[in-house]
Amino acid sequence: ANAWTKNAALILSDYLTTSRLRGGLGATYATEIDETALIAAANLCDESVALNTSPVTYQNRYTISGVFDWSETPENLIRQMAGAMAGLAIASGGQWRILPGAWRASALTITDADFLSPIQVQTRLSMRELANGLKGTYIGPLNNWMGGDFPPVAGTSYLTEDNNERIWKDIHLPFT
């Protein structure tokens, strides 16, 4: 049965299974979508989270609101839709797994005995990978569903750690 939804996991699954003639990937739901992972993802997206304390208002954890052009690449659309739920869509073993951003219990314990050589850790990131402030665009009701800037987010403690040099990261959230 088909129904309208803003659930990010269900919308991403729908895009994955939409026929190629209509612009989707044409995945077969019964064999190419991990249904167990999808159900868990859809339930997580529908979790009610409090927005404020007085008055208390709630919304679903992850929704998709937006439009896209079918001429965009599937890789780009999948990444953007998964980004609306702070997650990933992974194709592995012939199936798509949709994983929203959430804590998950580990499925495997790795010990030193599992490594062939010592672990190497890179503790310094390059300057282009660093950021202490975030700005970008989103689509929402405050700007009549047109792309617009969201208020910059910039922590002062991070600025202090970076010798008072503001390093912005610019992001685009077309479905958030």
Side-chain angles (χ1 to χ4, degrees), residues 99-111:
L99 304 167
W103 179 86
R104 291 172 188 80
S106 63
L108 177 68
T109 301
I110 297 175
T111 67

Side-chain angles (χ1 to χ4, degrees), residues 32-123:
E32 296 180 85
I33 301 293
D34 182 330
E35 187 177 43
T36 302
L38 176 60
I39 291 169
N43 289 339
L44 182 80
C45 288
D46 278 342
E47 281 182 2
S48 186
V49 294
L51 293 180
N52 16 9
T53 55
S54 182
V56 179
T57 57
Y58 296 91
Q59 73 176 27
N60 289 354
R61 180 175 303 278
Y62 296 125
T63 61
I64 284 183
S65 297
V67 297
F68 61 87
D69 188 331
W70 285 104
S71 67
E72 289 191 58
T73 65
E75 296 84 8
N76 191 37
L77 288 172
I78 291 167
R79 185 175 19 80
Q80 290 175 1
M81 288 183 196
M85 58 182 161
L88 299 168
I90 301 169
S92 177
Q95 281 197 318
W96 283 94
R97 294 191 71 212
I98 297 172
L99 304 167
W103 179 86
R104 291 172 188 80
S106 63
L108 177 68
T109 301
I110 297 175
T111 67
D112 290 342
D114 295 309
F115 295 99
L116 297 176
S117 62
I119 297 173
Q120 295 180 0
V121 178
Q122 178 185 355
T123 58

Side-chain angles (χ1 to χ4, degrees), residues 2-7 64:
N2 292 330
W4 181 86
T5 185
K6 288 177 69 173
N7 183 298
I64 284 183

Side-chain angles (χ1 to χ4, degrees), residues 128-142:
R128 70 178 179 174
E129 295 175 288
L130 295 176
N132 56 27
L134 189 63
K135 59 183 178 175
T137 59
Y138 78 107
I139 295 173
L142 296 179

